[in-house]
Amino acid sequence: MAQTSTRDRIVITAARLLQRQGYVGTGIKQIAREAQATLGSVYHFFPEGKEAVAVAAIKHGDQEFSALLRAALDSEESPSAAVNACARRLAEALRESGWVDGCPITAAALETLGSDSEIQRVCAAALRAWEQLVYDKLLRSGLDAEDAKDLASTIISTLEGAEVTAQVNRSEEPLRAAGRQLARLVGSYDKASNLRDRPSCT
Amino acid sequence: MAQTSTRDRIVITAARLLQRQGYVGTGIKQIAREAQATLGSVYHFFPEGKEAVAVAAIKHGDQEFSALLRAALDSEESPSAAVNACARRLAEALRESGWVDGCPITAAALETLGSDSEIQRVCAAALRAWEQLVYDKLLRSGLDAEDAKDLASTIISTLEGAEVTAQVNRSEEPLRAAGRQLARLVGSYDKASNLRDRPSCT
DNA sequence: CACACTCTAAAACGAACGTTCTAACTAGTA
DNA sequence: TACTAGTTAGAACGTTCGTTTTAGAGTGTG
C-alpha cells in the first residue's frame, strides 16, 4: 500500500469506506485521512468532488466483486455447485472482515435512490454485470435462455440479500443456506432435462 | 395525518425518511419539518435524541412490513403461491412509490454495521420476525422443520435482495423473477413428497 | 538558471449537523 | 385567579460537512 499511487490509495480506501458506511456516512476528509493523503490530493485527482470519488470507488468495488464471482463460478463445472461456491466464498470473506465488508454497492445504491446521480447508474451497471456473469455460466451449462435470465437475476438478488442478512446477524448461516437452496433451484433445471431423458420415468 | 398525534407523525415520517435515505442521510431537523412538528417536540418525545427516534421508526416499519407479509402469506394456501404473492405485492408497492419505498430497514442496517448501536439490534430482530412468519407458513404446509428453516431464511434474503435490485433497476422484473423462482423452489419440496407417493415413478 | 507541470499542504468559507437551552403556550384542577 | 404538567417555539452552541483558495514542494525539460 505504501508503494501504490496516491490516486489508487484514495480509490481503494474510498471503496472500503463506502462499502461499510455508505455514501453520506463517509466524509471526504475521512477518505483523505485513511488513505494517507491530503485533502488537496483528493481534490487534485477528483476536481468534481465527492461524487466523482464515489463513482471511481464503486467501479473499483464492482471489478473486485466481479473477480470473486468469476473465480467462484469457474471453480466448479456444474452450475449448481458453482452457485453454491459463490455463496461460500462470500460467507468466508464476510466472516474474515468481521462482518463489515459486504456487497460493495448496496449501501451507496440505497442512499442515492431518490436522486438521479451518476452513483445510481454505476451501481445499476455493476448489478447488471454480475448478473451477466451468472447468466453466461448458466448458458454454458446448457440452460434455456429464458430460464437462465430469470435464474441469474434471482441468484444475484439472493446473494445480495443473503449477504445483508448475514451481516446483520453476524453469521455465515444465511449465506450458506442461500447457497444450498440456490444449488437446489439450479439443479432442478438440470433434473428436469434429466427426467425428460431418463427412460424409466416417462 | 392531521388528526394523528405529534408523536405518531414523527415516528411515521422518520420511518419513511429512514427507509429512503438511511440513518446518517436523514437529519433530525428534516424529520421535524416533514412531520409538521418542531425540534422541541421531537426532543420532548425522544429525549435520548436521534438514535431513539430511529429505533422507534424502524420498529414501526418492521410492523408495517410484517403486516404486508402476513397478508400475502395468508392470501394463498399453497406455500409456493404464497411466497410468489409476497414478491408480487412488494413489487406493486415498490412501483407505486416510484421505486423509493423498499425494505424499511436495509439502508439503516447497513450504515450501522460497524457500531454496536441499538439500531443494529432492532434491525436484526425485524429480520428474524419476518423469517419466522415465513417459517410458520412453511411448517403449517407440512414441510420438514429443517427444510423450512433453510427455506425461510433464503426466502427473506431473496425478497430483500430482489427488492434492492428492483429499486436500482427501477423495474418490477427482479421481484417478479424472484417470486417465480422462489415458488419453484418451495414447490420442489412439495413435489419431492409427491414423487415419493406417486406410484408411476418409483 | 528558469520554466512548466504535477502533486501536496494547510487554512478558511458558508452551510448543515445533533444537541441544549430558555421561554411561551395550552389544557386541567383547585 | 393561580398553579401545574404537558407540549411547542425558536434561538444558540460547538462541530463537522463539502468545497475553495492560496501557497509551496518535487521533478524533468529548455
Side-chain angles (χ1 to χ4, degrees):
Chain A
M1 188 97 161
Q3 56 189 347
T4 55
S5 74
T6 303
R7 207 199 109 104
D8 286 349
R9 285 204 317 275
I10 292 172
V11 171
I12 294 174
T13 305
R16 200 185 61 230
L17 291 176
L18 278 182
Q19 166 178 61
R20 298 182 180 181
Q21 315 174 337
Y23 180 65
V24 275
T26 302
I28 209 167
K29 292 178 183 175
Q30 183 189 16
I31 294 175
R33 203 183 320 125
E34 302 206 10
Q36 311 214 53
T38 62
L39 206 51
S41 304
V42 177
Y43 275 96
H44 170 73
F45 291 110
F46 301 96
E48 308 96 342
K50 185 183 181 182
E51 185 168 324
V53 179
V55 167
I58 289 173
K59 283 182 180 171
H60 174 81
D62 169 13
Q63 292 186 355
E64 229 174 26
F65 198 83
S66 285
L68 185 148
L69 219 53
R70 213 183 321 252
L73 288 174
D74 288 345
S75 72
E76 299 275 354
E77 189 173 2
S78 94
S80 58
V83 168
N84 200 0
C86 289
R88 266 187 288 109
R89 297 207 183 187
L90 286 179
E92 206 173 317
L94 192 55
R95 171 176 44 78
E96 283 172 1
S97 77
W99 317 107
V100 290
D101 285 340
C103 171
I105 71 156
T106 317
L110 282 180
E111 283 174 331
T112 56
L113 270 180
S115 64
D116 61 339
S117 66
E118 179 75 12
I119 298 180
Q120 267 299 298
R121 281 182 283 274
V122 265
C123 288
L127 275 182
R128 246 179 289 124
W130 302 341
E131 198 174 309
Q132 185 72 37
L133 286 178
V134 177
Y135 178 76
D136 289 345
K137 172 73 179 180
L138 294 178
L139 270 198
R140 269 182 275 130
S141 306
L143 264 77
D144 270 3
E146 287 173 42
D147 288 344
K149 193 161 163 259
D150 254 36
L151 250 184
S153 167
T154 303
I155 288 169
I156 293 299
S157 290
T158 300
L159 291 178
E160 195 89 20
E163 188 130 53
V164 174
T165 310
Q167 289 185 274
V168 172
N169 287 91
R170 307 175 79 82
S171 158
E172 295 185 52
E173 200 41 40
L175 267 169
R176 304 205 99 96
R180 285 191 292 268
Q181 299 299 327
L182 283 180
R184 180 192 179 101
L185 177 61
V186 174
S188 80
Y189 285 89
D190 274 354
K191 276 200 195 104
S193 61
N194 285 350
L195 279 178
R196 209 185 314 121
D197 300 340
R198 207 192 301 168
S200 71
C201 192
T202 27
Chain B
M1 189 96 160
Q3 55 189 346
T4 53
S5 74
T6 303
R7 206 198 111 104
D8 286 349
R9 284 203 317 273
I10 292 171
V11 171
I12 294 174
T13 304
R16 200 186 60 229
L17 291 176
L18 278 182
Q19 168 178 57
R20 298 180 179 183
Q21 315 174 335
Y23 180 65
V24 275
T26 302
I28 209 167
K29 292 177 183 175
Q30 182 188 17
I31 294 174
R33 203 183 320 125
E34 301 206 10
Q36 311 214 56
T38 62
L39 207 51
S41 303
V42 177
Y43 275 95
H44 170 73
F45 291 109
F46 301 95
E48 308 97 343
K50 185 183 179 180
E51 185 168 324
V53 180
V55 167
I58 289 173
K59 284 182 180 171
H60 174 81
D62 168 13
Q63 291 185 357
E64 228 175 25
F65 197 83
S66 286
L68 185 149
L69 219 52
R70 214 183 320 254
L73 288 174
D74 288 346
S75 71
E76 298 275 354
E77 189 172 3
S78 95
S80 59
V83 168
N84 200 359
C86 289
R88 265 186 290 108
R89 297 208 182 186
L90 286 179
E92 207 174 317
L94 192 55
R95 172 176 45 77
E96 283 173 0
S97 77
W99 318 106
V100 291
D101 285 339
C103 170
I105 71 157
T106 317
L110 282 180
E111 283 175 331
T112 55
L113 270 178
S115 64
D116 61 338
S117 67
E118 179 76 12
I119 297 179
Q120 267 298 297
R121 282 182 283 274
V122 264
C123 288
L127 275 183
R128 247 179 289 123
W130 303 341
E131 197 173 310
Q132 185 72 37
L133 286 177
V134 176
Y135 178 75
D136 288 346
K137 172 72 180 180
L138 294 178
L139 270 198
R140 268 183 275 131
S141 306
L143 265 76
D144 270 2
E146 288 172 41
D147 289 343
K149 194 161 162 257
D150 255 36
L151 251 183
S153 167
T154 302
I155 288 168
I156 293 298
S157 291
T158 299
L159 291 178
E160 195 89 21
E163 187 130 54
V164 174
T165 309
Q167 290 186 272
V168 172
N169 287 91
R170 306 175 80 81
S171 157
E172 295 185 53
E173 198 43 38
L175 267 168
R176 303 205 98 97
R180 286 190 292 268
Q181 299 300 325
L182 282 179
R184 181 190 178 102
L185 177 62
V186 174
S188 81
Y189 285 89
D190 274 353
K191 277 202 194 104
S193 62
N194 284 351
L195 279 179
R196 210 187 313 119
D197 300 340
R198 207 193 302 170
S200 71
C201 193
T202 26

